[in-house]
Amino acid sequence: MHVRTLTGGLAASLLLSLPLLSGQAVAAEPSGGTTLPLSAARVLTYDASGSAEFASAVARGAAIWNESVDGVELRPATSGQRANIRILADNGWPRALPTSLGNGTVYIGRQAVNQGYNTVRISSHELGHILGLPDRKPGPCSSLMSGSSAGVPCTNPYPNTAERAEVEDNFSAASRAPVPAPRAAAVGG
């Protein structure tokens, strides 16, 4: 997200300085402190109020996706706001139930946590399903979507280059379209 703001500011500065470089004196229009808009990220909200002891892992998983991609941004839902993603803790295995791209329910299951799997990796992985990524099992620890097949010692919560590119592709065409209402469907994590 920081790159988009930085490049937007740089582009605005260059555009404003072009008349000066060409030798023409032109009065600039007041901008009201805004920068030129670049491709806007689709904002998805999540409700982690039911994530119990995993709330910080969920926040970190969302932050990792926000650091990793530009086409989508995950934000906590505000009070009374209907969230795109509902995140719950339960005693089962972690899983995601996407209803459409960017919508669904994530379960941070205690069964995997009790077996020693990393909670932030679980959170990032399950959010990856909501962002349109499938499981890629078996797989190496460098692949976030390899999930549990990378083993308990794997704590990598970051998507690899291919996973980041796939999420960017998923949201590039839909970046200006409204987020559809949730529908029922299931994908295991």
Side-chain angles (χ1 to χ4, degrees):
M1 295 292 129
H2 301 288
V3 171
R4 189 174 22 249
T5 304
L6 177 63
T7 57
L10 179 60
S13 298
L14 288 173
L15 284 174
L16 293 174
S17 63
L18 280 177
L20 297 175
L21 295 174
S22 67
Q24 298 175 356
V26 177
E29 293 286 327
S31 68
T34 60
T35 60
L36 295 176
L38 296 176
S39 63
R42 175 181 261 181
V43 174
L44 300 175
T45 57
Y46 64 90
D47 176 2
S49 62
S51 64
E53 69 270 27
F54 306 119
S56 64
V58 169
R60 184 64 193 127
I64 286 167
W65 277 109
N66 290 342
E67 295 163 13
S68 300
V69 296
D70 290 324
V72 65
E73 181 179 349
L74 301 171
R75 291 185 192 163
T78 59
S79 179
Q81 180 182 25
R82 182 176 174 183
N84 300 97
I85 307 163
R86 191 170 63 142
I87 304 171
L88 305 169
D90 76 355
N91 292 325
W93 192 258
R95 61 205 176 279
L97 304 173
T99 54
S100 62
L101 182 62
N103 293 288
T105 303
V106 166
Y107 293 89
I108 309 294
R110 292 181 183 97
Q111 184 178 351
V113 175
N114 291 341
Q115 291 179 23
Y117 288 95
N118 180 273
T119 57
V120 177
R121 179 172 168 86
I122 292 169
S123 174
S124 293
H125 173 91
E126 299 306 335
L127 287 169
H129 287 307
I130 300 296
L131 300 177
L133 299 178
D135 282 317
R136 296 213 166 85
K137 297 177 181 181
C141 184
S142 60
S143 169
L144 175 61
M145 299 315 291
S146 67
S148 62
S149 71
V152 171
C154 178
T155 60
N156 171 37
Y158 291 92
N160 65 27
T161 302
E163 292 162 339
R164 291 190 306 267
E166 190 172 345
V167 168
E168 295 288 14
D169 287 345
N170 290 344
F171 285 89
S172 66
S175 66
R176 302 217 190 276
V179 177
R183 296 186 316 258
V187 169

